[in-house]
Amino acid sequence: MLESVSAAGHTFEECKEVLRQNIKLDPGFKEFYAWCKDNDVPVIIVSSGMAPLIRAVLSSLVGEDSANEIEIISNDVTVHSDGNGFGHDKSQAILPYRDLPTPPTLFFFGDGVS
């Protein structure tokens, strides 16, 4: 994806801004996140997307400070001139939580199939 975007003359920062301005999250997420924060319930986003892009979209709804507090397990990309990148297996990302002395309840949601 990044290769085709950069080949068209766009920067990664431009892409983040376009996403920030055009992707609208469910407005109920802001209230949900506030409730979780007030009740000491961790919010962790597991995605096959790119962390910087997810965080940019979140910041438009909950603000940059709150977006930076949310743990995101995804593709933490480094933009290289050749556009190469690698994904991850989301099922592996949750394994450390299963090994905790008191494992949390894990709740998955989203519209992706990855």
Side-chain angles (χ1 to χ4, degrees):
M1 179 201 101
L2 289 178
E3 185 175 306
S4 63
V5 171
S6 62
H10 302 288
T11 68
F12 191 64
E13 291 303 314
E14 287 175 313
C15 293
K16 287 185 351 186
E17 188 56 34
V18 167
L19 293 173
R20 187 180 290 113
Q21 291 177 9
N22 293 288
I23 293 181
K24 304 300 179 211
L25 295 175
D26 185 319
F29 180 81
K30 187 173 185 173
E31 184 179 336
F32 165 77
Y33 178 68
W35 183 91
C36 289
K37 192 171 178 178
D38 290 344
N39 290 279
D40 206 24
V41 175
V43 173
I44 302 169
I45 296 174
V46 181
S47 175
S48 59
M50 293 182 242
L53 300 181
I54 295 166
R55 203 168 301 285
V57 172
L58 282 173
S59 71
S60 69
L61 182 64
V62 298
E64 195 162 335
D65 289 342
S66 291
N68 287 330
E69 293 173 354
I70 297 173
E71 183 177 353
I72 299 174
I73 301 172
S74 67
N75 296 306
D76 197 17
V77 299
T78 301
V79 180
H80 299 283
S81 59
D82 64 4
N84 288 334
F86 299 95
H88 74 282
D89 182 350
K90 288 189 278 186
S91 68
Q92 296 297 309
I94 66 167
L95 292 179
Y97 296 98
R98 291 183 180 169
D99 295 334
L100 293 174
T102 307
T105 300
L106 300 174
F107 174 66
F108 292 91
F109 66 98
D111 60 2
V113 294
S114 59

